């Protein structure tokens, strides 16, 4: 593996992450790159969802995807431990290690004898784990482990950045919706104040009472008042002192 090849992969990952690309396709590409660059037999990637539950999101082969699913179903295996601890987990010979009996048996069925799980972590936040599988027992070269962790780190930063942008966009949309609703409500207050010959404060109180009694959102009622689809009329007088 030459330095230029490695540099090309990191540039490719960075370009993909800054672009508005398909995240799942990017993660599948990451598992395939791990196999190419690190000389492992297969790779799988698990991420947490919004409920902090691990999900299989990418794998370099179908047998790897099924093994990862089995790992989650049995709640035991290197990736599960790696995610929970935030630390890398390496088992150079699964059959003799005596860890995760059910996972080890399932891994043996699909031909895997060694596994290395790397955390997808940024500072204290762990969002998943990257699994590297080999059909032969043995340790993975320290340099390759560092490269694997670097790939996982770059992907983690990109994913967290996308989450931050998504949350920011949602917040911006919610804020804009609130501002639009406020303008609409102010307009409706003016309509009611003029129609019922009350001040705008009393008009707003009447609108709130009307929305509650109709089990409707205030913005929805305001829209109906403004566009004339609802002829709002005041209900019985209410003493609001105190």
């Amino acid at each position: 593996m030459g330095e230029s090849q490695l540099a090309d992969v990191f540039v490719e990952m960075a370009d993909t992450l800054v672009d508005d690309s398909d995240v799942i396709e990017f993660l599948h590409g990451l598992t395939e790159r791990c196999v190419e660059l690190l000389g492992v037999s297969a790779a799988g990637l698990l991420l947490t969802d919004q409920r902090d539950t691990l999900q299989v999101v990418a794998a370099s082969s179908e047998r790897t995807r099924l093994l990862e699913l089995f790992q989650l179903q049995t709640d035991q295996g290197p990736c599960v431990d790696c995610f929970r601890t935030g630390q890398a987990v390496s088992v150079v010979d699964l059959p003799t290690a005596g860890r995760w009996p059910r996972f080890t048996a399932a891994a043996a069925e699909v031909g895997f004898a060694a596994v290395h799980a790397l955390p997808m972590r940024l500072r204290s936040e762990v969002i998943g784990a990257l699994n590297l599988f080999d059909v032969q027992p043995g340790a993975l070269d320290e340099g390759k482990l560092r490269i694997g962790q670097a790939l996982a780190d770059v992907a983690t930063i990109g994913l967290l950045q996308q989450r931050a942008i998504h949350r920011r966009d949602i917040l911006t949309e919610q804020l804009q919706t609130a501002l639009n609703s406020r303008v609409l409500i102010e307009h409706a207050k003016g309509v009611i104040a003029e129609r019922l010959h009350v001040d705008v404060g009393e008009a707003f109180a009447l609108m709130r009472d009307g929305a509650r009694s109709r089990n409707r959102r205030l913005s929805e009622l305001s829209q109906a008042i403004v566009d004339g689809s609802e002829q709002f009329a005041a209900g019985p007088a209410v003493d609001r002192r105190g």
Side-chain angles (χ1 to χ4, degrees), residues 7-237:
D8 287 344
V9 170
F10 279 105
V11 170
E12 176 189 339
M13 290 181 65
D15 286 345
T16 303
L17 286 169
V18 297
D19 189 17
D20 186 17
S21 59
D22 185 335
V23 173
I24 298 300
E25 177 61 31
F26 164 74
L27 295 175
H28 274 286
L30 173 60
T31 61
E32 293 169 350
R33 286 299 193 183
C34 285
V35 173
E36 294 172 9
L37 291 173
L38 307 179
V40 294
S41 302
L45 198 150
L46 281 68
L47 291 177
T48 55
D49 58 18
Q50 294 179 342
R51 297 169 295 179
D52 289 329
T53 301
L54 278 176
Q55 304 285 347
V56 180
V57 293
S60 61
S61 66
E62 180 62 16
R63 63 174 179 167
T64 308
R65 187 186 72 84
L66 294 175
L67 180 60
E68 297 283 40
L69 285 172
F70 180 79
Q71 181 177 190
L72 295 181
Q73 290 167 357
T74 58
D75 196 31
Q76 66 163 240
C79 214
V80 173
D81 286 2
C82 177
F83 171 71
R84 288 174 176 167
T85 64
Q87 302 296 320
V89 175
S90 287
V91 179
V92 299
D93 192 346
L94 279 168
T96 62
R99 300 177 68 177
W100 322 297
R102 297 178 67 185
F103 172 81
T104 297
E109 285 185 13
V110 293
F112 294 137
V115 62
H116 312 277
L118 305 173
M120 298 191 69
R121 180 188 63 212
L122 181 63
R123 302 183 184 91
S124 60
E125 185 172 5
V126 183
I127 64 170
L130 173 65
N131 263 356
L132 306 174
F133 298 94
D134 220 331
V135 295
Q136 297 294 333
L140 191 62
D141 178 82
E142 187 64 31
K144 290 184 178 181
L145 280 175
R146 287 200 300 270
I147 292 171
Q149 186 62 67
L151 291 169
D153 290 345
V154 170
T156 301
I157 292 169
L159 289 169
L160 288 175
Q161 178 67 13
Q162 285 206 344
R163 285 187 184 182
I165 292 172
H166 180 61
R167 289 169 183 162
R168 185 193 66 195
D169 289 345
I170 290 176
L171 181 60
T172 301
E173 182 179 349
Q174 289 174 337
L175 178 59
Q176 188 60 52
T177 299
L179 291 173
N180 293 341
S181 296
R182 191 67 227 178
V183 170
L184 192 62
I185 290 168
E186 292 299 321
H187 191 176
K189 281 164 57 177
V191 172
I192 294 302
E194 182 179 1
R195 182 180 301 165
L196 301 182
H197 307 292
V198 296
D199 62 40
V200 291
E202 180 67 11
F204 183 55
L206 291 169
M207 285 168 54
R208 290 183 66 193
D209 289 347
R212 289 169 182 167
S213 66
R214 294 167 173 80
N215 195 27
R216 298 174 68 182
R217 292 186 179 185
L218 186 58
S219 57
E220 180 186 334
L221 178 60
S222 297
Q223 180 65 63
I225 292 170
V226 170
D227 64 25
S229 61
E230 179 151 342
Q231 297 301 315
F232 185 87

